[in-house]
Amino acid sequence: MFYRPVIRRRLATAAVALGLLCTLSTSAWAGAPAPSPPRVHAQTTTVTSRAGSTTALSGYTIQSTAKVTDSAAAVSSPGYPAGGWYPAGSRSTVLAALLADGKYADPFHSTNQQQIPKADFQVPWWYRSDFTVADTGERTYLDFSGVMSAADVYVNGQQVAKAADVAGAYTHHELDVTSLVRAGTNTVAFRIQPNNPNKNLTMGWIDWLQPPPDENMGIVRDVLVRRGGPVALRDAHVVTELDVPSLSAADLTVKAQARNDTASPVTATVAGSIGAISFSRSVSLAAHEAKTVTFAPADVPGLHLTSPKVWWPAGMGGQPLYSLDLTASAAGTVSDTAHESFGIRDVKAPLNSDGARQYSVNGRKLLIKGGGWSPDEFLRWDRTYVEDRLKYALDLGLNTIRLEGHIEPDEFFDLADRYGILTLPGWECCDKWEGNVNGGEPGDKWTAADHPLAKASMAAEAARLRDHPSVISFLIGSDFAPDATIEKNYLDALKAADWPTPVVAAASDKSSPVSGSSGMKMSGPYDWIPPGYWYAKREGGATGFNSETSAGPDIPTLDTLRRMMSQTELDTLWKSPSSKQYHRSPSSTFSTLKLYDDALTGRYGAPTSLTDYVRKAQLAQYENVRAQFEAYGRNATDSTKPSTGVVYWMFNSGWTSLHWQLMDRYLDQGGAYFGAKKANEPLHVQYSYDNRSVVVVNNRHAPASGLTARTTLFNPDGTQKYDKTVTGVTVGGDGARSTALTLPSSVSGLSTTYLARLILSDSAGKEVSRNVYWLSTKPDTLDWDNTDWYYTPTTTYADLKGLGTMAQAPVSATASTTSSGDTSTTTVTVRNTDGGRTPSLLTDVHLVDTAGKPVLPVQWSDNEVSLWPGESLTLTATYRTADLHGSAPRVRVSGWNTPERTLPAS
């Protein structure tokens, strides 16, 4: 029996989960708290005896040490009567298990989370699980990471590791428990220590949401039972080198560690294959010796590929993956196996002449358009929910997800590989991770023990992520770059792991001694600013690489607000801008909506009801999010100070929030979502707030020609005041832009508030992009000199109150639904039937069930559209048929100046 910290390889074996206990339901309506599930004990896990197998523990029973008086030896012995303990899933924090068991009311509703006593989680908790093996002929190991914050580990009554050694959320551990395991039932028990992100190298929530009372203490990744023979295979990976720019050849180098786990010499045969390419080598190993086995093109010519299948980000090409299979045999018997998938691609990210980081994939530059990722607040893993959000990212035209800490399990990156979504993982700010360099911000200074722990964390994550083609960098700092000692440890670990992509010093404008300048900026904003802000080439405006930025609050739909807040809270939401909002942030900077609400009132007029507040919020969020992505898209090909990347802060929230999200916790979509979707469409016509130019941006690879751009200006009553059409517009590919025309600085008869309709048609006259703006002859005025880290003050607001004078514009709709397999598609045609001139502004179509509840998730071809009298658009909604829960589909049509109505869609 011994403890061995090792670098983790990615394991192909799927986790066995207690789905009943710790998964999420994204489509169930969470009004009243769910009934408590029956009390059950974790299932006993059956472990196969096959050499090279890995089996995830299926779950645990857990209990507070304050309620357990028995010894550790007793608790960790088979047959221990864990009466009254709580069941927990295979990946579960303490609180996630208690929530699944019905101990507390829905923490996503109102202030229920405040009622959960934090004191219950200030003591260690036991995690106990049984597993069976049929025989002891193979060696047995426990293989795991994801412990928060630390754990003493016991097997069959014996301690096999101490909390001082099993510490940190990201460190990987392998315990050889062969001498303790017996045929039949075995028990493993973890005594989990409380978590404090300011004191432990784990995970924290910074100012994203109200932190969970247990601070996520628990085990949030699989604990695997591995079986094997005398020779173990570890650290299998493939180093790829692609010929750029030809992409005509690639060299593959296969590496793995062969380790003799016996006290006698062994001669092993390591054999492998990648598709039809096979290779093999004999390796002599002394007692307990480990050697790295390498197969390279020099000795295996087949590893030099001609015409390789190249992996591309979504929209740029396909996402082919290769598979590596390795076997170690001793005396003709299989001793261990390893399996790894990988992609062939090349990533570069040099600094441009302005010092900004410019990414390219396979030799082609691209503008990073991303969002900041949040897992579920209680770290409950739900593959379907994660996949739904990644599909939303593609629907929005985003190409990148940034993970600041909270680096997700293996399956997340498998999905990103499959969908072609780039990822930017890295360490988080504002707690222990940056405690040595962050000045007066939270986070303890490091002790001598923290340095090897951080290095081990880096080594484990590097080994886990390196073969994923979706991973294009690791950010070793966030708000601050590491100091020289910490950076060296990180870089040494990355080098040892054959890390293949650029290492970035920080997500902010910082430098580190070896990695140098980050090439990124973190200059905000994080709270409300007007749409025109984004066009300035300063602060958070559209120049360089902005690693996290947005206009702050994102008010959800009325459906979601009523689902997450009490009536009193809803009244406060629209009536009291200075009141603290529990569902915004624990930060005093972001505790209220005052900046946002003042702007909403100043630009659109004071809200008259909750419904009016929400409809104004959706209008404001649509224009602001659209402007953010449009400005960065327009400036990406500038000759000086181009924009190279923008990460919307944030893509989603881990709970029910009023703060930083493109869609809400339940995956409902409003103005922020559809503003981003509009801005990032493949071929796009847009208005520039800074110089009034009408620009065509082409996000496709192929150039476009023969385009026609038409721009028309209207007063709110629909009176046309300006109209110009430009033909023969040509635009290059890969993010190129072309200016079609520039609007005059003044137009006779134009009202203070006015509408601009932009329509782009292809050479056949088909409309390919439609974009409608609500603008003012009175601009927003920014006080740049008083810019703070989170916003720039606005001294005068644009006057958009004229929108409130718009007459009601009736919109008719017809809808029908077809189903194929597990998927349904509802097709909706909306038409402005007004007999006069009034347009229907921001017409929203929601798919609902017969009770009027949204059917989610759903992907719309377009939504929140604006129509002039006689105009019609056909929209499609695609969704899982099961998410109707047996109901007939209906569509609810509403808009800024359109009466709400609901009609059948079956």
Side-chain angles (χ1 to χ4, degrees):
M1 176 184 67
F2 62 97
Y3 168 79
R4 183 195 301 271
V6 296
I7 295 175
R8 181 171 189 163
R9 70 175 178 89
R10 193 163 80 252
L11 299 166
T13 304
V16 178
L18 286 178
L20 171 67
L21 299 177
C22 281
T23 56
L24 304 172
S25 176
T26 61
S27 54
W29 190 259
S36 299
R39 179 71 64 89
V40 296
H41 290 301
Q43 301 170 0
T44 299
T45 305
T46 301
V47 175
T48 181
S49 297
R50 187 180 71 255
S53 66
T54 57
T55 306
L57 295 179
S58 59
Y60 308 89
T61 51
I62 71 171
Q63 184 57 274
S64 169
T65 58
K67 297 182 179 180
V68 177
T69 58
D70 298 309
S71 68
V75 169
S76 61
S77 294
Y80 176 76
W85 287 39
Y86 300 95
S90 58
R91 307 171 184 177
S92 179
T93 66
V94 173
L95 188 49
L98 300 182
L99 290 170
D101 202 47
K103 184 173 176 62
Y104 303 114
D106 177 11
F108 287 167
H109 179 72
S110 188
T111 57
N112 286 348
Q113 187 167 261
Q114 286 185 318
Q115 309 310 312
I116 301 174
K118 294 181 180 180
D120 289 355
F121 312 106
Q122 300 303 308
V123 299
W125 278 66
W126 279 111
Y127 274 58
R128 188 184 185 283
S129 187
D130 291 335
F131 65 93
T132 63
V133 298
D135 63 77
T136 58
E138 302 290 344
R139 302 191 70 82
T140 304
Y141 311 84
L142 293 178
D143 182 303
F144 60 92
S145 65
V147 173
M148 288 199 284
S149 66
D152 298 296
V153 187
Y154 299 82
V155 172
N156 291 344
Q158 299 293 316
Q159 185 167 14
V160 295
K162 296 180 179 179
D165 299 314
V166 180
Y170 298 102
T171 53
H172 174 246
H173 311 277
E174 182 178 274
L175 309 179
D176 187 335
V177 295
T178 303
S179 63
L180 293 176
V181 170
R182 59 201 187 197
T185 301
N186 298 269
T187 299
V188 56
F190 296 82
R191 185 163 55 200
I192 305 291
Q193 299 299 311
N195 185 37
N196 183 335
N198 288 328
K199 297 182 179 298
N200 308 118
L201 291 171
T202 53
M203 302 180 195
W205 290 98
I206 318 168
D207 50 7
W208 302 3
L209 47 73
Q210 299 290 350
D214 71 339
E215 295 285 4
N216 295 134
M217 72 180 298
I219 304 176
V220 297
R221 292 181 182 171
D222 290 333
V223 173
L224 303 169
V225 181
R226 301 180 66 154
R227 307 301 302 278
V231 177
L233 274 179
R234 300 292 185 265
D235 199 30
H237 62 286
V238 181
V239 179
T240 67
E241 186 175 349
L242 178 64
D243 186 9
V244 176
S246 74
L247 312 184
S248 61
D251 286 337
L252 310 182
T253 300
V254 177
K255 294 185 178 183
Q257 183 192 80
R259 189 182 72 209
N260 179 5
D261 281 345
T262 73
S264 302
V266 173
T267 297
T269 299
V270 178
S273 64
I274 298 174
I277 307 165
S278 298
F279 37 87
S280 178
R281 178 169 300 136
S282 180
V283 183
S284 297
L285 298 167
H288 300 299
E289 182 183 14
K291 288 183 180 178
T292 297
V293 183
T294 302
F295 300 95
D299 50 274
V300 182
L303 293 176
H304 175 78
L305 305 183
T306 57
S307 302
K309 294 180 288 185
V310 177
W311 187 95
W312 289 93
M316 297 177 70
Q319 292 80 44
L321 297 173
Y322 289 81
S323 293
L324 166 69
D325 294 289
L326 286 176
T327 300
S329 301
T333 300
V334 173
S335 179
D336 203 0
T337 61
H339 313 280
E340 197 74 12
S341 64
F342 65 96
I344 297 175
R345 55 91 177 92
D346 175 85
V347 178
K348 297 288 189 297
L351 303 184
N352 65 15
S353 59
D354 298 304
R357 196 163 293 276
Q358 173 65 71
Y359 279 86
S360 66
V361 176
N362 303 330
R364 282 166 55 184
K365 290 182 181 179
L366 76 162
L367 172 68
I368 295 295
K369 294 186 291 186
W373 182 267
S374 174
D376 169 68
E377 178 177 6
F378 308 108
L379 302 185
R380 296 170 292 188
W381 173 258
D382 184 323
R383 179 187 174 91
T384 299
Y385 184 55
V386 169
E387 190 168 9
D388 287 339
R389 283 179 286 166
L390 291 177
K391 288 179 179 177
Y392 268 16
L394 291 181
D395 184 52
L396 289 172
L398 304 183
N399 56 28
T400 304
I401 291 294
R402 180 183 166 212
L403 299 98
E404 183 194 1
H406 300 92
I407 305 174
E408 291 278 38
D410 297 341
E411 297 97 319
F412 175 92
F413 296 96
D414 291 337
L415 289 168
D417 292 344
R418 182 203 304 176
Y419 287 117
I421 299 172
L422 305 175
T423 62
L424 288 170
W427 304 128
E428 65 194 47
C429 82
C430 314
D431 56 23
K432 183 61 174 279
W433 284 101
E434 293 185 349
N436 270 22
V437 293
N438 67 6
E441 293 189 11
D444 286 4
K445 297 293 183 183
W446 288 21
T447 67
D450 292 317
H451 290 273
L453 195 159
K455 183 176 182 180
S457 300
M458 185 74 265
E461 289 304 287
R464 190 172 72 92
L465 301 177
R466 63 192 162 195
D467 275 344
H468 286 285
S470 59
V471 179
I472 59 169
S473 272
F474 199 94
L475 279 64
I476 56 175
S478 180
D479 291 27
F480 297 88
D483 63 29
T485 300
I486 297 172
E487 182 187 25
K488 184 179 186 304
N489 285 337
Y490 285 156
L491 294 180
D492 286 349
L494 287 160
K495 182 179 179 180
D498 292 322
W499 184 255
T501 59
V503 178
V504 180
S508 61
D509 184 13
K510 302 290 184 182
S511 296
S512 57
V514 179
S515 302
S517 173
S518 70
M520 295 187 177
K521 65 178 183 179
M522 193 188 287
S523 47
Y526 296 92
D527 212 323
W528 190 88
I529 43 80
Y533 171 99
W534 301 108
Y535 287 84
K537 289 198 173 187
R538 58 179 296 177
E539 315 304 339
T543 182
F545 194 119
N546 200 340
S547 69
E548 50 182 67
T549 187
S550 77
D554 285 296
I555 305 301
T557 63
L558 195 55
D559 294 295
T560 292
L561 287 172
R562 287 174 170 156
R563 189 173 175 178
M564 65 186 259
M565 300 173 78
S566 69
Q567 187 58 54
T568 299
E569 290 168 327
L570 291 173
D571 289 341
T572 300
L573 177 65
W574 73 273
K575 292 179 179 178
S576 303
S578 297
S579 295
K580 289 186 176 181
Q581 296 290 341
Y582 183 69
H583 283 266
R584 188 168 184 205
S585 171
S587 164
S588 59
T589 303
F590 303 120
S591 61
T592 77
L593 291 166
K594 182 169 175 52
L595 289 174
Y596 178 89
D597 288 352
D598 286 351
L600 209 64
T601 295
R603 301 174 92 240
Y604 291 101
T608 58
S609 64
L610 176 63
T611 299
D612 186 51
Y613 177 81
V614 173
R615 76 178 187 129
K616 286 173 176 171
Q618 303 314 313
L619 209 64
Q621 288 156 198
Y622 187 106
E623 66 165 343
N624 216 315
V625 175
R626 174 180 60 181
Q628 177 175 336
F629 282 107
E630 284 183 338
Y632 274 84
R634 188 198 71 175
N635 290 358
T637 53
D638 284 0
S639 58
T640 59
K641 300 185 71 173
S643 56
T644 62
V646 59
V647 177
Y648 188 87
W649 207 249
M650 297 176 65
F651 176 70
N652 68 295
S653 179
W655 83 322
T656 43
S657 180
L658 305 170
H659 183 56
W660 294 345
Q661 55 190 354
L662 288 175
M663 79 288 298
D664 66 40
R665 177 61 185 75
Y666 303 111
L667 302 185
D668 205 356
Q669 307 144 318
Y673 186 97
F674 291 112
K677 180 177 172 68
K678 175 58 62 178
N680 295 319
E681 61 188 354
L683 186 60
H684 179 62
V685 63
Q686 64 186 61
Y687 169 79
S688 304
Y689 282 82
D690 59 341
N691 61 16
R692 303 182 309 282
S693 62
V694 173
V695 173
V696 178
V697 176
N698 184 10
N699 292 306
R700 304 177 303 185
H701 181 51
S705 61
L707 304 174
T708 298
R710 181 184 180 188
T711 302
T712 313
L713 305 183
F714 301 87
N715 286 343
D717 64 0
T719 304
Q720 181 176 307
K721 292 298 179 181
Y722 175 88
D723 187 49
K724 185 170 183 178
T725 299
V726 178
T727 60
V729 177
T730 299
V731 61
D734 294 330
R737 76 160 191 261
S738 178
T739 299
L741 64 113
T742 298
L743 296 178
S745 58
S746 63
V747 174
S748 178
L750 199 63
S751 57
T752 303
T753 304
Y754 64 98
L755 303 174
R757 182 184 65 190
L758 282 55
I759 295 177
L760 184 70
S761 304
D762 64 16
S763 57
K766 179 183 177 183
E767 182 178 302
V768 293
S769 178
R770 162 184 288 249
N771 210 349
V772 174
Y773 295 80
W774 36 104
L775 303 168
S776 176
T777 58
K778 178 187 176 185
D780 296 290
T781 305
L782 287 156
D783 181 8
W784 291 105
D785 291 341
N786 284 302
T787 295
D788 206 333
W789 66 270
Y790 62 98
Y791 87 118
T792 296
T794 303
T795 55
T796 60
Y797 296 113
D799 185 355
L800 299 171
K801 298 181 183 68
L803 297 178
T805 67
M806 294 178 69
Q808 292 284 288
V811 173
S812 67
T814 58
S816 62
T817 299
T818 59
S819 298
S820 177
D822 297 331
T823 302
S824 290
T825 300
T826 295
T827 302
V828 185
T829 299
V830 288
R831 179 184 298 274
N832 183 335
T833 57
D834 184 71
R837 299 172 303 199
T838 305
S840 58
L841 183 63
L842 219 69
T843 300
D844 176 85
V845 184
H846 249 70
L847 183 74
V848 298
D849 62 17
T850 50
K853 300 171 184 176
V855 177
L856 300 167
V858 59
Q859 289 195 15
W860 286 94
S861 58
D862 196 3
N863 210 329
E864 301 203 342
V865 296
S866 298
L867 300 170
W868 268 252
E871 288 185 334
S872 65
L873 284 175
T874 297
L875 315 175
T876 58
T878 306
Y879 52 97
R880 286 186 292 266
T881 305
D883 287 335
L884 285 167
H885 300 288
S887 172
R890 296 168 65 82
V891 291
R892 184 179 66 210
V893 181
S894 61
W896 174 259
N897 60 324
T898 297
E900 180 181 307
R901 60 189 295 255
T902 303
L903 61 146
S906 53

